Amino acid sequence: MVITPGSSAPRDAVTPTDLTQRLATELLHYVVGYLPSSELLLASGVSKRFRSVITRDTRFCIPLRVDVTLGNICNGTCSRQVDHAYGVLSYAILEQLPVAMTITHGPGVLEARTELRRYTSDVSALVRSYMSDAVCRVIGTALPVLVRLGITIPDGYSAALQAVLLRPAPFLRELKLSRSVVAYDGEDMPESFGHVVPTNIFAGLAPHLARVSLRNVALAAGPIPALSSARHVMLEYDVHAPDIRISDLFPHISELHVIFEADPDLLEPPTTIEYGGLSLSRLHISDCSGCDLLDTMVDDIELASIPSLTYTSYVAWSSHWGTVMESVDGSLSMHMRDSLVPAFNFRYEVELRAIQTGFHRVFRLEEYSLDQDGRFSELKVVAPRIIAIRLDYDFLYALMDFRCDFPVLRRLRFDLPKGAQFNQSLWFPVSKDVGKETVNPDSPRLSGEYLLFCPLLVTIALVARGCNWSICPRQVAFIGAAFGQLERRAETRAHLEMVGISFFEHSTCDLLDDVFPTITYHLRDEHWGENEGWL
């Protein structure tokens, strides 16, 4: 990018030439967009123009972290983290470089294991004192260049933090406030919300604040000017929830995530949060206790108008599926996989997309199997509309356990990890006269022995993850038979696509040939065309 005098430079070159000056700003934004966030700081040194573009990129910031635990205070770790923060800020403020700060507080990993019950008022007071005297000052110093702030509040109420957050935050884009859940004096935190976000937070000046996350903190009554520009809001509460009218506090909200964990003895959803007047593009409901949080929201929010909706719970019953899928018309595609959000520790998620309208619904569920009579019966609400299915190989038997047919299914795709094996003995119907319910005396389990009715299935694709690898023909034949291909005439059976997968050398494919009349093989590193986008 920059040419300096030397053997490779023009003879008359006496000063460096910055070639980036010749690029349009739009093109620089395009180039920077390909860089991972971890490389942006390094790339900002290419030229002044690069730094100007990168420092305005919402992904770019210098991360600072202070972990306030009793152990870290005693061994000097906190002091080193605070000193490092001041050192970075002295340069960042001068150069107007964006900074992100994360402040955590608690007993720490070691104390959590051995001294949690001894986390007395004396210990907690020491931690709170350090937060007030040292950490809050760092936050106040960083506010002029702060773009992201995440804080675990050290107690029910923090006067020092309140005072610091009354100053303007001209570049702040994301705010996370979480009240501590550590018990004090051997007792749980009081039911009332000690820490309240004040009306004049950031002196009302946070024009770029787009994301707000609040956990177990309340908000002052009436409008809060600094929060009015927020478009992405997360509200998380356990047992108790304050009075919040979302549309008044966040008039420009477009994405909302509500997380609630009810008292396990009562399982009552919160009734103090009002959802009326919202116009959302994305809604995520996390019912962590199975308290029917969804039912408290449907009267206030028109779910049918929200393009993207995610429902997280232990299990979604048929009524929940019906409510979430209401007014999502037309053909659907389904993607079943392990949950992409490890923090929730859920077993799997099912994503449903409306082919024509673009609406999609995601169910994140933890219950993997129910009783035999009601096993996955909720899928029957939408199964007659599903024309494409994509799922991780591990969920083959889960899909078969749905025990419902897919009368309009056209495309079926399995994503297979290397070395995938079936976790039970294989059965294989050898006659077209085999009924829907087949029994294999060699297998103690009957799950998966229900032949799914898929009369319109056109293609079954097996796609390797990563490098190419081999599979047993009997496994592939089993998949085709399980999805009803032996119930169809040979000339109408589904076509098999093998992407990055071949069969073991010297394998016998007689059973496979009976199930699939045509097979196409692709290398995993080749362009697989439009099929790669199956969902």
Side-chain angles (χ1 to χ4, degrees):
M1 287 296 185
V2 179
I3 298 177
T4 56
S7 58
S8 60
R11 294 183 180 180
D12 58 347
V14 293
T15 58
T17 301
D18 183 3
L19 297 182
T20 63
Q21 297 294 334
R22 303 177 185 178
L23 299 177
T25 302
E26 293 78 6
L27 183 57
L28 282 180
H29 279 287
Y30 184 77
V31 172
V32 168
Y34 280 96
L35 298 175
S37 56
S38 59
E39 302 295 335
L40 290 177
L41 180 61
L42 179 63
S44 66
V46 170
S47 69
K48 290 183 179 179
R49 287 197 69 207
F50 255 78
R51 186 171 69 175
S52 176
V53 169
I54 289 173
T55 55
R56 288 167 173 78
D57 191 300
T58 57
R59 299 172 299 156
F60 173 70
C61 56
I62 302 173
L64 297 174
R65 185 180 183 91
V66 181
D67 296 310
V68 185
T69 68
L70 177 62
N72 285 350
I73 294 174
C74 295
N75 62 26
T77 298
C78 282
S79 296
R80 290 191 294 272
Q81 291 175 335
V82 169
D83 291 342
H84 172 70
Y86 276 119
V88 171
L89 290 172
S90 64
Y91 174 76
I93 294 174
L94 180 64
E95 297 293 329
Q96 286 294 288
L97 297 176
V99 171
M101 295 196 70
T102 301
I103 312 296
T104 63
H105 138 268
V109 177
L110 179 61
E111 291 88 347
R113 294 176 179 173
T114 61
E115 299 184 14
L116 183 58
R117 293 184 179 179
R118 297 166 53 195
Y119 202 65
T120 64
S121 59
D122 293 338
V123 175
S124 61
L126 175 63
V127 173
R128 295 198 302 274
S129 177
Y130 189 88
M131 291 276 286
S132 300
D133 297 340
V135 177
C136 287
R137 293 182 181 179
V138 177
I139 297 172
T141 302
L143 278 174
V145 292
L146 203 58
V147 297
R148 188 179 305 143
L149 176 62
I151 303 177
T152 303
I153 301 171
D155 55 7
Y157 172 78
S158 176
L161 179 61
Q162 288 275 34
V164 168
L165 296 186
L166 294 181
R167 307 175 192 175
F171 300 107
L172 190 67
R173 298 192 293 257
E174 182 174 350
L175 174 66
K176 294 183 178 181
L177 294 178
S178 174
R179 195 188 69 175
S180 174
V181 295
V182 178
Y184 293 92
D185 297 322
E187 299 179 358
D188 293 333
M189 294 295 296
E191 294 185 4
S192 61
F193 286 86
H195 197 94
V196 179
V197 177
T199 301
N200 57 342
I201 187 172
F202 302 126
L205 299 175
H208 301 289
L209 185 58
R211 294 182 178 272
V212 174
S213 175
L214 304 174
R215 182 175 185 270
N216 289 331
V217 297
L219 298 100
I224 302 178
L227 305 185
S228 62
S229 61
R231 299 184 301 275
H232 313 274
V233 178
M234 175 184 288
L235 302 175
E236 181 177 359
Y237 295 95
D238 53 19
V239 183
H240 305 284
D243 294 330
I244 299 176
R245 182 170 177 81
I246 300 176
S247 61
D248 289 345
L249 290 166
F250 307 101
H252 294 98
I253 185 173
S254 62
E255 299 186 12
L256 173 64
H257 187 176
V258 178
I259 305 174
F260 185 75
E261 186 169 355
D263 186 326
D265 295 327
L266 300 176
L267 291 181
E268 294 181 353
T271 58
T272 55
I273 301 178
E274 297 184 36
Y275 307 96
L278 297 179
S279 178
L280 301 174
S281 62
R282 186 184 300 271
L283 172 64
H284 188 169
I285 305 170
S286 293
D287 186 354
C288 300
S289 307
C291 64
D292 288 331
L293 177 61
L294 177 65
D295 295 340
T296 68
M297 304 174 68
V298 294
D299 293 335
D300 293 335
I301 299 181
E302 187 180 351
L303 300 182
S305 65
I306 301 175
S308 176
L309 194 156
T310 299
Y311 181 67
T312 298
S313 184
Y314 287 118
V315 60
W317 302 103
S318 297
S319 60
H320 299 155
W321 285 73
T323 300
V324 173
M325 294 301 298
E326 183 180 7
S327 298
V328 180
D329 300 323
S331 301
L332 301 172
S333 66
M334 183 177 78
H335 192 177
M336 187 175 181
R337 60 195 169 197
D338 288 317
S339 176
L340 301 180
V341 185
F344 293 114
N345 194 32
F346 286 94
R347 288 293 302 272
Y348 70 101
E349 65 181 43
V350 177
E351 178 178 354
L352 295 165
R353 285 184 178 269
I355 301 298
Q356 299 298 327
T357 63
F359 279 57
H360 76 278
R361 304 288 187 253
V362 178
F363 297 83
R364 291 186 180 141
L365 310 171
E366 187 169 10
E367 286 289 349
Y368 189 78
S369 61
L370 308 176
D371 59 274
Q372 181 70 29
D373 293 335
R375 180 178 292 154
F376 300 107
S377 60
E378 65 276 355
L379 189 65
K380 294 180 180 179
V381 175
V382 295
R385 299 161 53 193
I386 295 177
I387 66 172
I389 296 176
R390 177 178 176 180
L391 68 156
D392 290 351
Y393 172 85
D394 295 338
F395 291 106
L396 168 62
Y397 282 102
L399 182 65
M400 297 172 64
D401 276 342
F402 285 142
R403 292 181 177 267
C404 65
D405 299 324
F406 298 93
V408 297
L409 182 66
R410 263 76 166 180
R411 302 186 299 273
L412 175 64
R413 168 175 170 170
F414 292 91
D415 294 323
L416 284 72
K418 186 174 182 179
Q421 296 292 332
F422 284 98
N423 58 4
Q424 69 180 75
S425 59
L426 296 180
W427 59 275
F428 194 90
V430 295
S431 171
K432 295 181 180 180
D433 297 329
V434 174
K436 282 280 188 163
E437 295 288 346
T438 64
V439 178
N440 180 1
D442 297 329
S443 175
R445 292 185 58 198
L446 297 180
S447 66
E449 296 183 358
Y450 176 86
L451 303 186
L452 303 179
F453 181 63
C454 309
L456 301 181
L457 190 58
V458 175
T459 305
I460 296 178
L462 305 182
V463 182
R465 294 175 182 168
C467 59
N468 302 318
W469 56 280
S470 301
I471 192 173
C472 173
R474 187 177 178 86
Q475 290 178 299
V476 180
F478 167 79
I479 294 175
F483 286 86
Q485 293 312 290
L486 285 181
E487 304 298 305
R488 304 170 63 185
R489 299 193 309 272
E491 64 272 15
T492 64
R493 293 173 189 167
H495 174 72
L496 176 64
E497 298 267 0
M498 302 277 284
V499 184
I501 302 175
S502 59
F503 294 114
F504 290 121
E505 189 176 1
H506 307 305
S507 296
T508 300
C509 300
D510 294 342
L511 290 175
L512 182 69
D513 294 337
D514 290 338
V515 179
F516 294 106
T518 59
I519 304 176
T520 302
Y521 299 89
H522 307 267
L523 293 178
R524 188 63 183 88
D525 55 356
E526 289 182 347
H527 296 293
W528 192 33
E530 296 181 356
N531 287 330
E532 184 64 31
W534 269 16
L535 178 55

